[in-house]
């Protein structure tokens, strides 16, 4: 099976059903992620060969991933940024704080948007940030509204990635930048066992498909972007799914606790617990990858 945007291991339904499922998943797991992972609901970044350490190391690693993406994409200080899939606002607090950016964050989860606005107020960043429930693929921003479109681990939840890049280009100013960090899949054929693991990850994490980093590069070029670059960070982030980092062991009180959570919040919440072993296996086989994409909307006359 070839890994590409149109047939890359489909799982979750597209359209409104997908959006509702994503919203429900993040509404029901918001406190689990924040309690265990802190403000950053995404992978950590280590030098190759490093191992996760204590809580401080874990938080430093998630902070570092944000800084690595800022550096890779060359984000300018003071930029006007649209954060697609902003979560509870972890990366946005760095963009609005040390970088002095103005950040608009959109998420399918009303609970996430509310928590992000609370966090911004607590940190004194309310005047430079705004978070709201909104489907980026049906947003109301005027053309050319932003210097940067930022998407950390959100593109996997969008089924039509060709349309995503077209919409990114629309809302960017001339010369603007898109910066993406994303789960991905190895370009080319997967074995039957690798495909099975990928399918399980997609189902439990409410994602319609994976695309390869190379496919993201092709889609950006087809949408008319220039200065496109990709980088594979799989070796730098894979440790994020070790139990010591994910902290799932702290919740491991047996099947009775998982049954209670499923009864109270719905069975979708169990995807939170299944993610770790599946992602570890995906990284170990090389079927699952992770990387960053940057690209530029051409300036007038380019």
């Amino acid at each position: 099976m070839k890994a590409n945007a149109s047939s890359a291991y489909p799982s979750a339904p597209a359209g409104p059903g997908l959006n509702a499922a994503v919203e429900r998943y993040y509404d029901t797991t918001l406190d689990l992620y924040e309690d265990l992972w802190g403000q950053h609901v995404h992978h950590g970044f280590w030098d190759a060969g490093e191992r996760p350490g204590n809580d401080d190391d874990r938080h430093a690693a998630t902070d570092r991933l944000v800084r690595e993406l800022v550096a890779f994409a060359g984000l300018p200080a003071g930029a006007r940024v649209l954060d697609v899939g902003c979560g509870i606002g972890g990366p946005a607090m760095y963009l609005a704080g040390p970088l002095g950016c103005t950040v608009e964050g959109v998420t399918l989860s009303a609970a996430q948007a509310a928590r992000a606005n609370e966090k911004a107020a607590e940190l004194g960043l309310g005047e430079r940030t705004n978070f709201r429930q909104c489907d980026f693929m049906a947003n109301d921003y005027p053309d050319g509204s932003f210097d940067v479109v930022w998407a950390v681990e959100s593109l996997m939840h969008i089924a039509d990635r060709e349309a995503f890049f077209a919409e990114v280009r629309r809302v960017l100013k001339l010369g603007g930048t898109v910066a993406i960090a994303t789960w991905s899949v190895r370009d080319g054929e997967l074995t039957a066992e690798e495909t099975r693991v990928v399918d399980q990850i997609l189902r439990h994490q409410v994602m319609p498909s994976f695309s390869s980093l190379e496919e993201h590069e092709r889609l950006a070029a087809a949408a008319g972007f220039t200065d496109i670059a990709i980088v594979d960070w799989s070796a730098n982030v894979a440790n994020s799914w070790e139990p010591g980092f994910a902290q799932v062991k702290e919740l491991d009180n047996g099947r009775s606790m998982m049954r209670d959570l499923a009864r109270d919040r719905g069975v979708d919440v169990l995807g939170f617990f299944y993610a770790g072993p599946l992602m570890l296996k995906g990284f170990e086989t090389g079927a699952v990858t992770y990387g960053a994409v940057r690209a530029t909307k051409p300036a007038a006359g380019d």
Side-chain angles (χ1 to χ4, degrees), residues 45-54 57-58 61 235-236 238-240 242-245 280 284:
F45 189 104
W46 294 266
D47 290 331
E50 282 188 309
R51 308 288 291 182
N54 56 23
D57 175 64
R58 185 174 71 255
N236 302 102
N239 287 336
S240 298
E242 292 198 1
F245 174 86
L280 272 178
E284 287 170 357

Side-chain angles (χ1 to χ4, degrees), residues 235-258:
N236 302 102
V237 307
N239 287 336
S240 298
W241 294 101
E242 292 198 1
F245 174 86
Q247 297 290 294
V248 173
K249 64 182 181 181
E250 294 184 7
L251 294 179
D252 190 12
N253 298 323
R255 292 184 178 273
S256 62
M257 181 209 132
M258 295 176 70

